[in-house]
Amino acid sequence: MDILSMDARAQAAALENGDLSAAELMDATLARIDAVNPVVNAVVSLRDGDDLRADAQAADKAQHKGALHGLPIAIKDLANARGLPTSMGSPLFAGQVAAQDDVMVARLRAAGAIIIGKTNTPEFGLGSHTFNPVHGATYNPYDLTKSSGGSSGGAAAALATGMLGIADGSDMMGSLRNPAGWNNVYGMRPTWGTVPSEPAGDMFMHQLATSGPMARSPADLAMLLDVMTGADPRQPLSTEGGKTLEGIDTAPKGLSLGWLGDWGGAFPYAEGITEISEAALQQMAGLGHRVEALAAPFDADAMWTSWTDLRSFAVAAGLGAAYADADMRPHLKPAAVWEVERGVNMSASTVQRASAIRSDWFRKTTELFASHDVLVLPSAQLWPFDVEMVHPAQIAGRGMDTYHRWMQVVVPAGLIGLPVVNVPIGFGANGLPAGLQLIGPRGSDAALLRLAQQWHGVTQWPQKRPPSL
């Protein structure tokens, strides 16, 4: 078997028992990157090959460090990895080399992962389409004229093509879920707070974004998530995540799945999205689960207002200093300027109102989860679009009034920090992949992964339908 087609869990086991060496895995990884990356452009800031081979040889001689010992990984270019540039896709930070690892990256390194470079992302992670003026666009490996999604588009494309076996991503507005769906892989947004962010700046107010794992199987998601999670005593809102790999192969029985559809017509879908989603749900019903179509449980417009206000408030906190600098502001892309200008001019009462709406929606979900184990929505409202496009202007004839309205379907889970696993569900008539969001209550990460692993056992979409590159 091609060692790059193996699950990362299988690679890790082979490395630990001596059936595979880290040097062999690194050689294969670099060969795949050399063959594929020039046309996909998913891995950026790749380290020197001789240095990486030396690291792999050292891993073969070293005592086993942890679950990821000897596995190559590239870090999303929004996070700091010691010795590598963190451009965030912006010319303002191009070439800026990180002096130390972010918390999450340090955990991966401590578990034995070999960090080989970075994965591409949109500028500052804004917009679910991976292109930027520093590294260019990442192309969808299933159609090189299409977007790979984002903001973890580089990670998703690298997984789909076998350049990586596991990858980190981050998710504020579907940045793990959309690219996973569009690249026929798995991506997980974990319960908010279980994967700590950096203990810097304000640590109380901005509860939207989180890091999480991406892979070609849910078991690999669990293996990586168990390394990433765990409270950080320096961060007041971080929480202990449960171990998710143990019991991953125990198939759940008789779950109740609530299909939220198009949210009562609030979410326009491109032709074929509803059909492929409902076909996947029927297949899940065939596994012994009960699927029920639900009416819209909350006002979509109110939720959107809450989301856009809280998001702009958070983005302004991160990019406000760059916007205030007359020399830096011209280098911010229009979406960033729009977010910051909304955020810095926002009143305290507007933020309070947005948080109150968020609280109302969370209370409503406790009612939904009293009768349903999992809520389900598509990963995206349309198929991968032209890579040259900045963002879609319309879906099914309905105009998009912001640069991110086309991703409204990911807001219900992201707004209140619920765990979500994206599962691939096959391909449309256009040959492009799609996915579903499996959404659970806070703390249900392990249960969601078991459902996803059960699905993977009967579908294995990433293995059955890899890209032809």
Side-chain angles (χ1 to χ4, degrees), residues 345-364:
N345 292 301
M346 198 169 289
S347 68
S349 61
T350 297
V351 176
Q352 173 63 28
R353 184 168 59 251
S355 191
I357 294 170
R358 170 166 63 177
S359 300
D360 287 342
W361 167 228
F362 183 82
R363 282 185 281 268
K364 181 62 179 180

Side-chain angles (χ1 to χ4, degrees), residues 332-352:
L332 298 175
K333 73 177 187 178
V337 172
W338 180 82
E339 294 278 17
V340 173
E341 289 180 344
R342 291 188 80 246
V344 298
N345 292 301
M346 198 169 289
S347 68
S349 61
T350 297
V351 176
Q352 173 63 28

Side-chain angles (χ1 to χ4, degrees), residues 28-408:
T29 297
L30 292 176
R32 181 66 60 86
I33 290 172
D34 184 62
V36 174
N37 201 54
V39 294
V40 176
N41 192 36
V43 178
V44 298
S45 303
L46 183 67
R47 292 175 54 205
D48 177 76
D50 289 340
D51 290 344
L52 289 171
R53 292 183 181 91
D55 283 355
Q57 292 164 3
D60 285 328
K61 297 173 183 176
Q63 184 176 357
H64 189 263
K65 286 185 175 182
L68 310 182
H69 188 90
L71 294 179
I73 190 169
I75 304 300
K76 184 175 176 179
D77 197 24
L78 296 181
N80 289 310
R82 185 182 68 247
L84 286 170
T86 309
S87 77
M88 294 184 282
S90 169
L92 292 172
F93 302 106
Q96 178 176 280
V97 175
Q100 61 185 21
D101 291 333
D102 282 353
V103 172
M104 179 271 297
V105 178
R107 291 180 175 184
L108 303 183
R109 204 188 294 271
I114 301 174
I115 297 172
I116 65 171
K118 308 297 283 288
T119 55
N120 204 18
T121 182
E123 186 178 341
F124 300 117
L126 297 175
S128 198
H129 173 27
T130 298
F131 73 99
N132 63 71
V134 179
H135 297 296
T138 297
Y139 300 88
N140 193 302
Y142 287 93
D143 183 337
L144 294 173
T145 70
K146 304 297 184 185
S147 169
S148 66
S151 60
S152 306
L159 287 167
T161 54
M163 291 188 280
L164 297 174
I166 50 173
D168 72 291
S170 57
D171 188 303
M172 179 185 275
M173 194 175 183
S175 290
L176 278 158
R177 294 165 277 168
N178 170 46
W182 281 6
N183 288 271
N184 190 39
V185 298
Y186 292 87
M188 183 175 190
R189 178 191 168 101
T191 296
W192 192 89
T194 59
V195 177
S197 57
E198 291 309 288
D202 177 77
M203 297 188 292
F204 285 91
M205 300 186 74
H206 304 295
Q207 301 178 45
L208 293 178
T210 181
S211 294
M214 303 182 76
R216 291 191 299 273
S217 77
D220 287 352
L221 290 181
M223 180 179 71
L224 182 54
L225 182 63
D226 286 354
V227 173
M228 301 171 86
T229 54
D232 184 325
R234 300 167 296 176
Q235 299 184 63
L237 301 183
S238 67
T239 61
E240 288 293 344
K243 294 302 179 184
T244 59
L245 184 57
E246 183 179 353
I248 188 70
D249 295 309
T250 302
K253 299 178 181 178
L255 297 180
S256 174
L257 310 181
W259 167 233
L260 292 166
D262 64 1
W263 208 274
F267 303 158
Y269 293 148
E271 183 178 357
I273 295 294
T274 297
E275 291 77 8
I276 195 171
S277 299
E278 292 182 344
L281 283 166
Q282 287 307 305
Q283 194 171 358
M284 289 183 185
L287 298 176
H289 305 303
R290 179 170 60 88
V291 177
E292 179 184 357
L294 302 180
F298 197 79
D299 185 273
D301 290 336
M303 189 183 297
W304 180 249
T305 296
S306 173
W307 173 262
T308 52
D309 287 348
L310 291 172
R311 177 180 167 96
S312 293
F313 179 55
V315 172
L319 294 178
Y323 175 85
D325 187 310
D327 293 328
M328 299 177 75
R329 185 187 302 179
H331 298 286
L332 298 175
K333 73 177 187 178
V337 172
W338 180 82
E339 294 278 17
V340 173
E341 289 180 344
R342 291 188 80 246
V344 298
N345 292 301
M346 198 169 289
S347 68
S349 61
T350 297
V351 176
Q352 173 63 28
R353 184 168 59 251
S355 191
I357 294 170
R358 170 166 63 177
S359 300
D360 287 342
W361 167 228
F362 183 82
R363 282 185 281 268
K364 181 62 179 180
T365 63
T366 62
E367 298 175 18
L368 293 172
F369 287 125
S371 55
H372 296 86
D373 300 293
V374 179
L375 303 177
V376 185
L377 283 165
S379 300
Q381 293 169 229
L382 72 170
W383 305 96
F385 53 77
D386 193 308
V387 72
E388 300 297 330
M389 187 183 295
V390 175
H391 58 81
Q394 60 87 28
I395 299 175
R398 191 180 305 181
M400 301 289 102
D401 57 352
T402 70
Y403 79 99
H404 52 9
R405 172 75 82 160
W406 63 276
M407 285 300 297
Q408 190 173 358

